[in-house]
Amino acid sequence: MTDIRPAFIDGKPKQLLIGGRFVDPVAGERFASTSPSTGEHVADIALAGEEDVDRAVAAARAALDGPWSRFTPAERQAVLLRLADLVDAEFDDLALLDCIEMGRPITASRGLRSMVLRVIRHIAGQATAIHGETLGNSFPGTELMSFTLREPIGVVGAIIPWNGPLFSAAWKIAPALAAGCTVVLKPAEDASLSPLRFGQLCLEAGVPEGVVNIVTGMGATGAALASHPGIDKISFTGSCETGQKIIAMSAGTVKRVTMELGGKSPNIIFADADLDLAVPASAIGVFNNSGQVCAAGTRLFVERPVYDEVVARIAAFAGALKVGPSLDPETQVGPLVSAKQYARVASFLDEGPREGARLVTGGARLTEGALANGHFVAPTVFADVGDDMRIAREEIFGPVASIMPFDGFDEAVDRANATRFGLAGGVWTRDITKALAAVKRIKAGTVWVNHYFAMDPAVPFGGYKMSGFGREGGFEHVENYLNTKAVWVRTS
Ligand code: ADP
């Protein structure tokens, strides 16, 4: 396939990481991981069944009461900082795993180094900042002191998507470790390798065996985790439909759940915006990672006086993007992750014009030359999109922008909010009063003003409405992995 294979792609079948060791799945089943750029075989991956999930949960449960329970906060912090150093040292190879397996272009994959390291190091800092509160009470008759203890929630089942495998593994595992939890992580079937290697690096960093377990497999593996009585909390990132199933499955044992689900985020460009800033950032807000980003700003509302200009400039930007295999350093837009995703996105490309949208650029599958065996589509811009069209309502998860004109502030925010989702939104204007008024009105967990896509581990991220609940990033991130225990002490 390529002579720059990372050492982790060694031709051997990939096993499950359970109890500190790589082991074969009990039933011996495997599935093939293939390159979305070329269709070539990348690795055979272990398919974890229910028995394997049982074993992983048992290992995590045992580890919760083992040496890990005696790690001080400073020791957990030290382990996380060592992990960050190991990830840093190996980052080029980790980036290659995601590049080869899920198709994020190599330049973009390598560009995530700073973010991934900041996540682990920021969360390492939080390990020593966990604290309860002393609370005054009015209990009559007896003097009692009341305070809270923060305790690890227990065994965490983390289920992650394929669109940022390494980042997602760090985003789930690091806060669980900071809190003193143990983890069974289920990577997405289209991107198992970097999470597996990340799990191995946790061991190398000094995380005791059984604290981090990785069970690869399909949706059924995730379902076994979500319904497992030995799991205390599920942290899920993925589609809304799967999130709904997981919420239902978790009800059996009343698991704690946090959900980061999909989006159909609005991005509003007012006529007074600095278009030299707004146009490229808004285009990247759609086409980054081939549009496979939950917070992508795919509903682009543009105020009528600048509508034609913005449509033309976004289309020119899209048309100039270099689409190619993910290993090519020149590639800006790589393939879609899988045949399933390719078929889904292509069906929206066909449907847009049928619904009456105006195709301005793109709109096609790309099958020539080096793209022949991959899942490539052209970055696509639809203009004059109606709010009721499926391309404006459904999360496409592909490089497809829907642009719509609006007249006036109220119309813009009302239409921006007319969605079941509420993950993110953008506002472009030189008028600070208008910007802040829009911020207040937009029902979403993140709103960017004169920017799109800024993220930082110190800043919370998560959804309103059907985009989910719970926040990752910020102080709430580690909080999600803690229980609060109230303590009452007679003082007289
Ligand atoms: P997509 O449709 O884009 O693959 P999903 O939300 O289905 O997105 O996938 C996100 C993660 O959820 C993946 O790890 C996937 O294997 C897992 N998953 C899929 N179906 C289920 C399910 N029924 N229960 C638990 N996890 C699931």
Side-chain angles (χ1 to χ4, degrees):
M1 173 181 45
T2 164
D3 51 5
I4 53 166
R5 272 175 195 251
F8 197 62
I9 301 181
D10 55 6
K12 297 188 192 134
K14 291 297 156 199
Q15 298 170 294
L16 309 170
L17 182 59
I18 297 179
R21 289 187 309 125
F22 276 114
V23 296
D24 284 324
V26 171
E29 287 187 77
R30 300 205 160 80
F31 62 99
S33 170
T34 53
S35 155
S37 295
T38 63
E40 288 166 284
H41 180 264
V42 175
D44 286 329
I45 312 276
L47 179 64
E50 283 185 20
E51 271 185 83
D52 302 299
V53 170
D54 275 347
R55 282 196 298 168
V57 173
R61 175 80 35 211
L64 197 60
D65 299 324
W68 183 235
S69 64
R70 293 182 291 281
F71 271 53
T72 63
E75 286 168 339
R76 296 201 302 272
Q77 178 179 63
V79 160
L80 281 164
L81 291 173
R82 272 201 300 279
L83 174 63
D85 290 345
L86 292 175
V87 169
D88 191 13
E90 202 176 305
F91 196 83
D92 283 350
D93 266 15
L94 289 163
L96 261 179
L97 294 177
D98 284 356
C99 168
I100 291 170
E101 198 185 16
M102 61 70 64
R104 186 193 288 271
I106 187 61
T107 311
S109 289
R110 293 207 164 128
L112 285 177
R113 176 192 293 266
S114 147
M115 180 61 177
V116 172
L117 295 176
R118 275 188 293 135
V119 164
I120 304 170
R121 290 185 175 134
H122 173 82
I123 292 169
Q126 307 252 303
T128 53
I130 294 166
H131 59 277
E133 292 177 309
T134 309
L135 303 144
N137 66 74
S138 308
F139 190 82
T142 313
E143 264 188 46
L144 293 168
M145 178 190 277
S146 43
F147 61 92
T148 57
L149 297 177
R150 310 307 312 279
E151 297 179 342
I153 215 160
V155 178
V156 174
I159 302 174
I160 59 173
W162 42 261
N163 61 337
L166 177 65
F167 171 81
S168 296
W171 197 234
K172 300 289 187 205
I173 290 175
L177 296 184
C181 294
T182 61
V183 187
V184 180
L185 179 115
K186 151 68 179 93
E189 48 272 40
D190 295 313
S192 309
L193 294 177
S194 68
L196 276 173
R197 180 64 188 138
F198 187 84
Q200 205 176 18
L201 290 177
C202 289
L203 286 168
E204 287 175 28
V207 175
E209 60 186 40
V211 173
V212 174
N213 307 275
I214 315 279
V215 288
T216 46
M218 303 287 161
T221 310
L225 205 51
S227 53
H228 200 291
I231 294 279
D232 298 299
K233 175 199 164 73
I234 291 284
S235 177
F236 174 71
T237 301
S239 66
C240 188
E241 292 67 27
T242 300
Q244 288 172 307
K245 287 186 202 157
I246 290 175
I247 293 170
M249 282 187 280
S250 66
T253 51
V254 193
K255 294 178 181 44
R256 280 50 179 163
V257 286
T258 44
M259 294 274 141
E260 201 265 86
L261 307 176
K264 189 73 188 174
S265 296
N267 187 16
I268 304 172
I269 301 182
F270 288 100
D272 67 347
D274 179 343
L275 296 186
D276 291 340
L277 279 181
V279 165
S282 299
I284 292 165
V286 176
F287 301 120
N288 179 34
N289 206 22
S290 304
Q292 302 170 128
V293 181
C294 49
T298 47
R299 286 186 304 138
L300 200 47
F301 294 97
V302 183
E303 202 163 17
R304 193 143 342 240
V306 293
Y307 179 71
D308 289 338
E309 179 183 352
V310 170
V311 169
R313 288 176 66 174
I314 297 267
F317 190 102
L321 287 169
K322 182 158 182 346
V323 181
S326 58
L327 279 168
D328 181 344
E330 303 287 311
T331 292
Q332 293 169 304
V333 174
L336 297 164
V337 70
S338 62
K340 176 181 147 197
Q341 201 55 28
Y342 184 48
R344 177 179 161 80
V345 173
S347 78
F348 280 104
L349 297 184
D350 298 340
E351 185 160 353
R354 275 206 303 272
E355 290 187 295
R358 173 163 62 93
L359 177 66
V360 189
T361 189
R365 300 153 179 82
L366 300 177
T367 55
E368 299 292 310
L371 310 186
N373 297 317
H375 310 309
F376 295 94
V377 298
T380 296
V381 175
F382 287 118
D384 309 344
V385 175
D387 293 348
D388 292 337
M389 295 181 190
R390 273 191 67 229
I391 55 169
R393 284 188 290 112
E394 306 276 319
E395 185 175 37
I396 298 175
F397 236 58
V400 185
S402 290
I403 314 189
M404 350 199 196
F406 71 86
D407 298 289
F409 179 88
D410 285 327
E411 183 189 322
V413 290
D414 287 346
R415 289 172 60 195
N417 284 333
T419 164
R420 64 192 169 120
F421 296 115
L423 192 57
V427 181
W428 297 85
T429 172
R430 287 189 168 94
D431 178 342
I432 185 69
T433 308
K434 196 188 324 184
L436 290 176
V439 165
K440 283 173 78 173
R441 289 269 297 274
I442 292 173
K443 299 207 175 349
T446 294
V447 183
W448 291 288
V449 177
N450 295 331
H451 201 281
Y452 208 90
F453 270 157
M455 265 188 87
D456 189 90
V459 180
F461 182 82
Y464 279 31
K465 302 195 276 185
M466 289 180 76
S467 291
F469 48 85
R471 291 291 176 271
E472 296 178 295
F475 285 105
E476 290 165 83
H477 202 165
V478 175
E479 295 274 312
N480 286 330
Y481 295 87
L482 295 167
N483 261 331
T484 300
K485 179 179 282 172
V487 185
W488 294 81
V489 184
R490 185 190 290 271
T491 53
S492 70

